[in-house]
Amino acid sequence: MKTTSALALGSGSFFRSAFSAGKRIPIGVQLYCVRKELAENFDETMAAVAEIGFEGVEYADYFDRSAKQLRKS
């Protein structure tokens, strides 16, 4: 419990300092949230994620794609 509280305070102070300095924090998404959709149609799902406005992603699976292919997504 103490560790969680310390982490929460630490991350909160990071965000407060970033906002007070006028820095923009890009918003990302974990692709685990849409893993079923990615398995069905990877390219369309990645396009939809970008269209929603997410600027970064954390991959949950690479779906047999190379790093070069993932960069293009």
Side-chain angles (χ1 to χ4, degrees), residues 14 56 66:
F14 166 77
S66 68

Side-chain angles (χ1 to χ4, degrees), residues 4-55:
T4 305
S5 299
L7 289 173
L9 290 173
S11 62
S13 63
F14 166 77
F15 288 114
R16 277 193 297 278
S17 65
F19 283 123
S20 65
K23 294 181 182 177
R24 186 178 165 287
I25 299 172
I27 303 297
V29 64
Q30 292 180 334
L31 293 179
Y32 184 81
C33 302
V34 291
R35 66 192 178 280
K36 292 177 186 174
E37 292 80 6
L38 285 167
E40 291 173 14
N41 193 325
F42 187 88
D43 294 328
E44 282 187 21
T45 303
M46 289 299 287
V49 166
E51 187 177 324
I52 291 168
F54 290 109
E55 299 171 284

